[in-house]
Amino acid sequence: MSKIFNNLYSIIKNIKGNIAFYPTVLTFIGFSFSLLMILLEEQGISKFLLETTPILVVENGNTALNILSVCITGLISMMVFSFSMVMLLLSQASSNFSPRLLPGLVSDKRNQIILGLYLATIVYNIFTMFTIEPNGEEYNLPGFAVLLGILATMVCLGAFIYFIHNMSQSIQISKILDAIYEQAKKRLQKMITIQNENPVSPSKTYNTESWHAYTYKTSGYFQNYNVEGIIEFCKNCETKIKIIKPKGLFILKNESFLLSEKPLDDDQLANCFSNIYLSKNELVKENYNLAFKQISEIIVKAMSPGINDPGTALNGIDYLTELLALRLLKNDSELIFDKESKTCYGEVAVITFESLLTNMMASLRTYCKHDPTVVQKLLNMLHYLKKQVKHQDDYESIISEQITILINQAESVFETKKDKELLKQLVNN
């Protein structure tokens, strides 16, 4: 049962990021509601509306058909325009910022729900039209169902206005950066909270030289794992495990991925892997490291000759500074710990702070070292991080090393005397 639940959870988690998920669900709801209204109309639900507020009841079938036809035509036009706006947003975000932003933009629930609302209303109005007789009188028309179709269309008009507002906001780089930052911040804070609740020393590691290695049979990005499921698996099999690939990395088929203290048969291995979630998409809310990658790519793209937008680069560095300061509070290990039994059942490899900062600064130095303003901002960021509270003492030496590398590269690129003097001032500070 646990394996079935985990597989179902993994499938739902993957399809929720698809742009067609919420529209499909809402369309089915609209279809089901139209069938429900047909049944209620057969029970005479419109008679009450005709007796109490006859002004809301359509007088004849032709008028009702014309009204619903106009509603459907207008909704289809709005839906086409809305889908076009979504595609335009994705195209501009990909070309101006980074293609890595697309999964996060596509999974925006607000846009999906609005598009689904259009489809649900269209389907509802179409099936309502089936129950209308062209020459029918008001006493045998589905007046209540027609009224609901008109009201749903008016709701769609309001949603369309909100959709235009939301799209105009979504394309702004400040909104994109803020959304990435908030998702990564929530994820980091959650992991720091779990870390602080864990009484086991983060330096605890296992000698895995004699452990048994196992490979994953499929490929994809390692998004997350079910902690409770892994703990239950380790208890049942009386073993400990180590996931040797950090979250966020692409796992290749038949590549070593898992180590187990005791040998596992095929059923046990399948049970274990059912608690590990792979995906073809990368989402910040599942992997905070992706936020550093996305923001760095936005900065690099902004500094390219084709874009030439140092202002966006400076804004991006501000967000990186905040996230890195938060990352300093987290250690470089992740243990699989059971709070109830106070037992550690293994560990998961993580992207260390040194690897994170080194890879990020390598790309930023390459594309930003020619701009004194951006270099100054990067140095201010690194000096600020040195002054912050750190979970591990070696973090400070890692930051100092990056400061030295950045200064050496900038000195070799700067040509004017004024820029070099400014660089020396920053070094002394």
Side-chain angles (χ1 to χ4, degrees), residues 213-325:
Y214 297 96
T215 62
Y216 216 100
K217 302 304 180 183
T218 59
S219 60
Y221 289 100
F222 176 27
Q223 291 284 22
N224 209 343
Y225 62 95
N226 182 2
V227 179
E228 291 77 12
I230 292 291
I231 292 174
E232 181 182 357
F233 163 79
C234 291
K235 288 180 178 179
N236 294 334
C237 297
E238 298 181 349
T239 186
K240 293 181 174 62
I241 67 169
K242 180 177 181 179
I243 300 176
I244 59 178
K245 297 293 183 181
K247 285 188 287 187
L249 292 190
F250 190 83
I251 308 303
L252 298 174
K253 185 178 180 181
N254 296 326
E255 179 185 29
S256 294
F257 175 74
L258 179 75
L259 299 179
S260 174
E261 184 181 24
K262 295 183 178 180
L264 304 175
D265 57 34
D266 292 341
D267 291 338
Q268 291 174 328
L269 192 62
N271 185 23
C272 180
F273 282 156
S274 68
N275 295 287
I276 299 172
Y277 310 127
L278 266 63
S279 172
K280 296 299 181 181
N281 295 324
E282 298 177 280
L283 298 176
V284 175
K285 60 184 178 181
E286 298 292 340
N287 177 25
Y288 70 87
N289 291 297
L290 183 60
F292 294 98
K293 194 181 299 183
Q294 289 184 351
I295 297 177
S296 299
E297 289 179 354
I298 291 174
I299 296 172
V300 169
K301 197 69 174 286
M303 294 304 297
S304 65
I307 305 298
N308 194 22
D309 183 14
T312 295
L314 296 176
N315 292 339
I317 294 173
D318 289 332
Y319 283 103
L320 281 181
T321 305
E322 290 292 326
L323 289 178
L324 285 170

Side-chain angles (χ1 to χ4, degrees), residues 161-193:
I161 296 174
Y162 174 77
F163 180 83
I164 297 299
H165 168 74
N166 185 50
M167 294 298 294
S168 63
Q169 295 291 317
S170 298
I171 198 63
Q172 298 178 16
I173 186 59
S174 59
K175 295 292 183 180
I176 294 176
L177 287 171
D178 191 62
I180 296 172
Y181 166 75
E182 289 296 333
Q183 289 182 353
K185 178 182 176 183
K186 290 180 181 179
R187 184 63 182 172
L188 263 173
Q189 288 177 335
K190 180 179 179 180
M191 298 191 71
I192 291 172
T193 301

Side-chain angles (χ1 to χ4, degrees), residues 121-135:
T121 305
I122 290 172
V123 171
Y124 173 81
N125 286 341
I126 289 175
F127 280 89
T128 301
M129 291 177 67
F130 290 164
T131 64
I132 299 175
E133 297 180 7
N135 298 318

